[in-house]
Amino acid sequence: MKTYIKHILRFLVLVFIQLAIFDHLNFGFYIHPLIYILFLLKLPLNTPRWLLLVLAFVLGTTLDIFQSSPGINAAASVLVAFIRPFSIDLIFPRREFDENTEPSIDDFGFQRFFVFTLILTFVLHFILFFLEVFCFDELGKILVRSLASAFVTTLLIVLVELLFFRKKS
Amino acid sequence: MNNILRFIARYHFFSLFLLLEIISFLLIFSFNYYPQAVYFKLATSFNGKVREINASIANFYKLKSTNRQLAIENSILRSSLPSSFLAVDTNVFWHHDTLYRQRYKYITAHVIGNSLGKRNNYIMIDKGSREGVGIDMGVIGPQGVVGIVVTVSDHFASIMPVLHSATMISAKLKKNNELTSVIWKGGNPFKASLINLPGQVQISKEDSVVTSGYSLIFPEGILIGTIDHFHLNTDDNYYDADILLSTRFGSLSYVYVVQNLLRDEQLQLLKKQDEIISEEN
């Protein structure tokens, strides 16, 4: 029961931070960090895969309502939820840890956590920016934008991870 | 049927993924084409309140620059008052009621939601259909053109600013009235691009680009920006030109919605014109 409340709180806090802070920051014209995806990344490894998809859809739709961009965030975050299990398999061909751990620097190691985050944030940004424009003319620009944004989002997520999610040892 | 159900159960992860993506894409396609009309109405009343609170805080920090903008505009308006002109020719008589018919009405509105970093940005204002704001009305700010109203609810309206992929504003060069169009190619929120400007036209840096007044949306002669740099495209003999937008979208706080009082009449005329042309064919 406690874990449910923890995840619901995390959901609310991340959506609030995304809408109140990161949607208004202009780091430069190409960068638009989407920190809210941390909620999906931090779900426990034994979360049923269908639940991942449903939660991603709810998360995306919540953001869509506030950003008035119907379907865009939802489509992108559902895709991220879809590839999350595969990317974990890719990074860890053999599972070496307890199934109900959350992806974290402590359990994944810094490098692997970084790569894991970078892959998923890149997919999120690329799909999102692409759907926003919806034409192939600007593909190069979208690619640069999503690479830069994914990198910044990843840095922010690693920072949050280091500050708030380290186990006290 | 049984087989299909078994198939879905077996590949439930993939099926659910497809289902959710299809729902998302339906949302995108059904509401994004003409930006978000229905969807926006649902979200607006709730979203608007949140943004209003947000804007009231942000507004406090912008007071200084807003004051400056308004003071500058006041001085410009004051200088265009009849009292600030010297009557040179005493034979001119003024018949405001018969010779001049009011064509544009302005509604002041406060910006309560804004974005710059996206490819398709939107601005939300705190005036809606109850105050007379309607779809396809132009919006201008103290520094120049802002955008076009795309959706309205009772108390709020959403504006598609120049910083949007669907924006195309009919414009002309101030010095020689040459017609062109302004679009935004994304990225830099200070710059936009000119298209359809033939190479025969003489242009130079810092030429003013203003609205043409042909589009029924904006009055003629509202500043859009100044030409920043340009080069002649030798393939088709048209200019590739960038303009520096006169409106600073990041610090926008008060705008005017332009209501064209003769719009319906003009639209009717256009409709008649189309009918005649189609009859001739």
Side-chain angles (χ1 to χ4, degrees), chain A residues 25-141:
Chain A
L25 285 183
N26 283 306
F27 284 95
F29 311 128
Y30 285 95
I31 294 166
H32 181 213
L34 300 169
I35 192 90
Y36 73 82
I37 203 63
L38 182 60
F39 170 75
L40 270 189
L41 301 188
K42 292 292 284 180
L43 285 172
L45 290 171
N46 65 348
T47 314
R49 298 197 293 178
W50 63 269
L51 188 62
L52 271 182
L53 293 177
V54 173
L55 287 175
F57 187 75
V58 172
L59 178 68
T61 310
T62 312
L63 277 138
D64 281 333
I65 289 172
F66 284 99
Q67 298 184 343
S68 40
S69 55
I72 290 177
N73 280 297
S77 50
V78 167
L79 186 69
V80 169
F82 181 72
I83 63 166
R84 195 189 101 132
F86 301 112
S87 64
I88 291 175
D89 288 344
L90 186 83
I91 298 169
F92 294 98
R94 277 167 288 133
R95 296 284 175 86
E96 303 133 352
F97 37 77
D98 190 6
E99 280 291 308
N100 80 51
T101 46
E102 297 170 356
S104 65
I105 289 183
D106 285 329
D107 293 308
F108 271 36
F110 185 83
Q111 274 182 9
R112 286 176 172 184
F113 184 78
F114 192 87
V115 173
F116 168 72
T117 314
L118 193 62
I119 293 174
L120 296 187
T121 47
F122 175 72
V123 171
L124 178 78
H125 279 102
F126 183 74
I127 300 297
L128 195 111
F129 291 153
F130 179 71
L131 291 178
E132 212 173 42
V133 183
F134 229 106
C135 74
F136 287 96
D137 293 355
E138 300 181 12
L139 207 59
K141 210 184 244 180

Side-chain angles (χ1 to χ4, degrees), chain A residues 26 29 49-50 53 57 64-68 70-72 74-75 78-79 82 131-134 138 141 145, chain B residues 13-14 16-17 20-21 24 28-29 31-32 36 39-40 46-47 51 116-120 185 187 189:
Chain A
N26 283 306
F29 311 128
R49 298 197 293 178
W50 63 269
L53 293 177
F57 187 75
D64 281 333
I65 289 172
F66 284 99
Q67 298 184 343
S68 40
I72 290 177
V78 167
L79 186 69
F82 181 72
L131 291 178
E132 212 173 42
V133 183
F134 229 106
E138 300 181 12
K141 210 184 244 180
R145 258 189 94 184
Chain B
F13 181 49
F14 189 68
L16 185 66
F17 166 68
L20 292 177
E21 286 290 358
S24 312
I28 295 173
F29 285 120
F31 296 127
N32 261 35
Q36 312 152 351
Y39 183 89
F40 194 73
F46 176 55
N47 196 352
R51 289 192 186 204
L116 289 178
K118 298 182 192 167
R119 180 65 179 89
N120 294 334
K185 289 181 178 166

Side-chain angles (χ1 to χ4, degrees), chain B residues 183-210:
Chain B
I183 58 163
W184 189 61
K185 289 181 178 166
N188 192 337
F190 300 115
K191 282 184 182 172
S193 310
L194 292 184
I195 54 169
N196 301 336
L197 189 61
Q200 291 83 350
V201 178
Q202 292 295 319
I203 62 175
S204 54
K205 223 179 149 177
E206 313 229 318
D207 277 356
S208 295
V209 178
V210 297

Side-chain angles (χ1 to χ4, degrees), chain B residues 94-154:
Chain B
W94 293 83
H95 297 280
H96 284 284
D97 46 351
T98 50
L99 277 184
Y100 296 94
R101 182 160 172 188
Q102 186 167 16
R103 187 169 168 203
Y104 296 104
K105 221 169 86 180
Y106 296 84
I107 304 160
T108 320
H110 180 204
V111 173
I112 57 167
N114 199 351
S115 68
L116 289 178
K118 298 182 192 167
R119 180 65 179 89
N120 294 334
N121 297 289
Y122 288 95
I123 294 173
M124 205 192 276
I125 55 171
D126 67 345
K127 291 281 158 67
S129 52
R130 294 228 174 140
E131 286 86 6
V133 177
I135 288 170
D136 276 348
M137 287 183 183
V139 180
I140 60 178
Q143 300 147 320
V145 165
V146 173
I148 297 162
V149 177
V150 285
T151 37
V152 284
S153 64
D154 283 354

